[in-house]
Amino acid sequence: TRPGRDELLEIAVEVARQAADTARRMRADGVSGISTKSTATDVVTAADRAVEREAVATLRAARPGDAVLGEEYGGADGTGPGGDAGVRWILDPIDGTVNYLYGLPHYAVSLAAEVDGEVVAGVVRNAVTGDEWTAIRGGGAYRAGERLRSSTETDLGKALVATGFGYDPARRAHQAGVLAELIPHVRDIRRFGVASIDLCLAAEGSVDVYYEKGLNLWDHAAGGLIATESGLRVDGLAGAGPGPDLVIAAPPALFGPLHDHLARLDAAGGP
Ligand code: IPD
């Protein structure tokens, strides 16, 4: 039998809070075990690994048969469609690792629950401030008990746009080129360094739209659901769905104009 969405969100929130506490506590003692992953700027720390290990252990204790996809270890069964109950957990133990490294109070735990391949519940928790965004598919998105309403802006020229950059130098150059062409058409740009929180800021209307190329599923699974449930349209180019090529989250009236700029600028292309 399939578990209820409320039950999955409850577990997700409990695990995210524990993970956030561990990340914050470890940061108070300084940063240790720093190494690089895909490129010299793609950093991982002992905390990323420790938080993921702890969170996976808690998930396994709560729901032993489920699959887990985590940023740092992948998880032996993380690529499958889900365990016995069709459930797969998608975890970024520390999203915003560079902020973490520098002690900027802006990094998050992102955890989503997928059932039969569809994300049905998700939580993003800022590990320092405790800000916590949640959503259940079909049940709305919330922060501190308040239902989230995304921006109602209709003029792209007045839209505040959040985005981010990958770690590969050639990709970053392409992304910067796209941004240089986009800036004249929008109000301004923000780069906070945490894709999951970017999506939540769009969900609560603190920015109008968000887009990024090159995200991994753990960066956008939970935040994407929260953005969708706040009223945003979350998709890729030409209806391809949000994915590694591009994630766009925008109010319905801004989605088309932003999408068309990004398509014209080949935002999903390049390395
Ligand atoms: C990164 C952050 C960043 C985004 C990158 C992500 P990480 O995740 O979310 O904001 O621009 O694309 O890879 O490496 O800090 O977990």
Side-chain angles (χ1 to χ4, degrees), residues 37 42-43 48 71-72 92 94-98 163-167 191-196 198 210 212-216 218-219:
K37 295 196 287 185
D42 186 2
V43 169
D48 295 79
E71 173 169 18
E72 309 307 339
D92 191 341
I94 299 182
D95 188 20
T97 303
V98 174
T163 190
F165 308 101
Y167 293 115
R191 198 297 194 246
F192 297 110
V194 195
S196 59
D198 290 339
Y210 165 74
E212 185 164 346
K213 172 191 165 66
L215 291 183
N216 292 294
W218 47 78
D219 296 315

Side-chain angles (χ1 to χ4, degrees), residues 51-147:
V51 171
E52 180 161 321
R53 262 198 308 267
E54 182 186 66
V56 170
T58 308
L59 284 171
R60 293 233 184 280
R63 295 193 43 88
D66 294 350
V68 183
L69 172 68
E71 173 169 18
E72 309 307 339
Y73 293 101
D77 49 359
T79 51
D84 307 338
V87 178
R88 179 170 73 153
W89 297 91
I90 303 164
L91 169 71
D92 191 341
I94 299 182
D95 188 20
T97 303
V98 174
N99 287 345
Y100 180 89
L101 188 64
Y102 283 77
L104 293 169
H106 204 67
Y107 51 90
V109 178
S110 171
L111 181 59
E114 210 181 52
V115 177
D116 298 331
E118 180 183 54
V119 176
V120 298
V123 57
V124 174
R125 185 178 175 93
N126 181 318
V128 183
T129 63
D131 290 333
E132 187 181 273
W133 299 264
T134 61
I136 289 178
R137 186 168 296 280
Y142 289 84
R143 173 181 173 174
E146 298 238 350
R147 182 139 190 187

